[in-house]
Amino acid sequence: MTDNAIVIGSDHAGYSLKQVLVAHLEEKGWEVVDVGTNGAESVDYPDFGAAVAQGLKQGKASRGIVVCGSGIGISIAANRHDWVRAALCHDVTSARLCRLHNDANVLALGARLIGEEVAKDCVDVFLATDFEGGRHQRRVDKLGFAESA
């Protein structure tokens, strides 16, 4: 696994925003593992939340991004996997805090609720922020997170 890789997936409602984010990430030098969907035809968001989770488990990246219309369904789908901590974020503060305090490894975004520029800012902050540890570690430990290996 490379520290410069990110797994990304979306359903049809998140497809356009996912494409914007893929281009943004590649422009910044990230290796992007895009697990689909590959168009705007209707698909089921749980399949793509699971695909991102599997990408993490397989060691393709240590962090991921999931996008659907609201971000809610695909974040629930990703969080069904015990090695995933997906956080639905709507602004840079939540994107920073989900890493800083919760050690989230998947950023969830709602394409119908967030603009492209805010989404790119959220991605940048999510990827640039490290987990603070300390008092937050015992709380994260209670979430039942299991290593993906």
Side-chain angles (χ1 to χ4, degrees), residues 8-22 34 36-41 43 67-69 111:
I8 190 167
S10 73
D11 70 355
H12 57 283
Y15 174 72
S16 292
L17 181 57
K18 178 182 66 107
Q19 295 307 102
V20 167
L21 297 176
V22 166
D34 186 345
T37 192
N38 299 313
E41 299 79 30
V43 294
V67 187
C68 71

Side-chain angles (χ1 to χ4, degrees), residues 1-97:
M1 169 177 17
T2 172
D3 287 339
N4 203 40
I6 185 125
V7 180
I8 190 167
S10 73
D11 70 355
H12 57 283
Y15 174 72
S16 292
L17 181 57
K18 178 182 66 107
Q19 295 307 102
V20 167
L21 297 176
V22 166
H24 177 73
L25 289 161
E26 289 175 341
E27 181 178 293
K28 293 190 167 277
W30 286 89
E31 175 188 334
V32 179
V33 180
D34 186 345
V35 297
T37 192
N38 299 313
E41 299 79 30
S42 183
V43 294
D44 299 329
Y45 62 81
D47 298 336
F48 298 95
V52 168
Q54 289 306 312
L56 297 181
K57 186 173 189 177
Q58 294 164 1
K60 294 178 180 177
S62 61
R63 290 195 228 172
I65 300 170
V66 293
V67 187
C68 71
S70 67
I72 297 168
I74 203 163
S75 67
I76 292 169
N79 276 321
R80 292 184 57 83
H81 303 272
D82 65 0
W83 58 89
V84 172
R85 273 193 302 277
L88 175 57
C89 297
H90 297 103
D91 54 48
V92 294
T93 301
S94 56
R96 181 176 58 82
L97 290 174

Side-chain angles (χ1 to χ4, degrees), residues 61-134:
S62 61
R63 290 195 228 172
I65 300 170
V66 293
V67 187
C68 71
S70 67
I72 297 168
I74 203 163
S75 67
I76 292 169
N79 276 321
R80 292 184 57 83
H81 303 272
D82 65 0
W83 58 89
V84 172
R85 273 193 302 277
L88 175 57
C89 297
H90 297 103
D91 54 48
V92 294
T93 301
S94 56
R96 181 176 58 82
L97 290 174
C98 80
R99 286 288 309 133
L100 196 65
H101 293 176
N102 308 113
D103 199 19
N105 59 353
V106 173
L107 173 66
L109 299 169
R112 294 177 178 150
L113 303 177
I114 190 171
E116 290 179 3
E117 294 306 313
V118 173
K120 289 190 277 189
D121 290 344
C122 287
V123 166
D124 292 344
V125 168
F126 177 79
L127 294 173
T129 304
D130 292 324
F131 177 50
E132 190 174 57

